[in-house]
Amino acid sequence: MLQHNYQDLIALFEQVFFQQYNTRLIKGADEPLYAPADENCAYHQIIFAHGYYASAFHEIAHWCHAGEKRRLLEDFGYWYIPDGRDQAQQLKFEQVEIKPQAIEWAFCVAVGKKFDVSVDNLSGTGNTDRIAFKLAVYQQVARYLSSGFPHDAQLYIAALADFYQTPLPLTRAHFAL
């Protein structure tokens, strides 16, 4: 059985996307960041936290969901309030996270790893119904399974499945609540 090493995710991302999109997956430190190319760096960077496999998948999922115009903006121009959100902020965060986390879940299935939603609000005052949030993400997975994942997400799912020898296509049976 293959090990799950973040270096493999970097190599696969490079192989699938660098030439077409001038984008690299980079192991970073504390906070993830998407940085478009600028005068300091000739290529776009998806920087994930601490070499964490899950962080890499999460950031790649955001990149796959972002689209061409948002990929020109730092962190895709998304609204973000860090850990410590109140109830209203947390609900808004979860709405923005449904599609990227559905893509992330598919990446996990493609490599044979367990997925769990990320509410990213450990010290906030907003209560999170993890079950309801995971159900919303699952429903988005079901929509993607019937209508297709975003193009770049599908390319990466295929590359991951090939590398980790996971049979395709992914079906609802692969996604357990």
Side-chain angles (χ1 to χ4, degrees):
M1 176 171 222
L2 289 171
Q3 294 286 357
H4 292 103
N5 298 310
Y6 74 83
Q7 295 92 337
D8 296 327
L9 301 181
I10 291 171
L12 285 170
F13 190 89
E14 179 93 6
Q15 184 181 342
V16 175
F17 297 117
F18 181 72
Q19 190 168 13
Q20 181 178 359
Y21 292 111
N22 191 37
T23 303
R24 288 207 158 110
L25 181 62
I26 308 288
K27 175 188 172 272
D30 293 334
E31 291 298 320
L33 174 74
Y34 174 75
D38 60 17
E39 62 278 351
N40 298 317
C41 186
Y43 53 85
H44 310 294
Q45 299 176 79
I46 302 170
I47 303 166
F48 64 101
H50 301 290
Y52 295 146
Y53 208 85
S55 178
F57 273 172
H58 188 79
E59 298 311 312
I60 296 166
H62 273 288
W63 180 82
C64 288
H65 174 66
E68 187 178 338
K69 289 181 182 177
R70 285 191 173 270
R71 289 178 185 173
L72 299 175
L73 305 171
E74 183 171 288
D75 271 345
F76 313 110
Y78 287 128
W79 160 91
Y80 184 75
I81 294 175
D83 189 3
R85 293 181 288 276
D86 64 27
Q87 185 69 33
Q89 293 166 332
Q90 183 62 24
L91 289 173
K92 185 175 179 183
F93 168 83
E94 290 173 14
Q95 284 303 305
V96 171
E97 284 289 314
I98 290 171
K99 287 182 178 181
Q101 290 199 33
I103 294 167
E104 181 183 352
W105 197 345
F107 293 163
C108 288
V109 168
V111 304
K113 281 189 75 66
K114 184 178 179 333
F115 170 79
D116 198 11
V117 293
S118 171
V119 296
D120 192 33
N121 198 30
L122 300 175
S123 65
T125 59
N127 291 335
T128 297
D129 183 345
R130 291 181 68 81
I131 295 169
F133 181 50
K134 189 167 187 174
L135 180 59
V137 173
Y138 177 81
Q139 290 168 337
Q140 182 59 52
V141 166
R143 284 190 288 280
Y144 280 147
L145 288 172
S146 66
S147 65
F149 283 88
H151 176 72
D152 293 328
Q154 188 58 53
L155 289 176
Y156 202 59
I157 291 165
L160 292 166
D162 182 58
F163 185 82
Y164 287 96
Q165 302 170 0
T166 305
L168 290 177
L170 301 181
T171 66
R172 278 188 187 216
H174 292 102
F175 297 85
L177 280 173

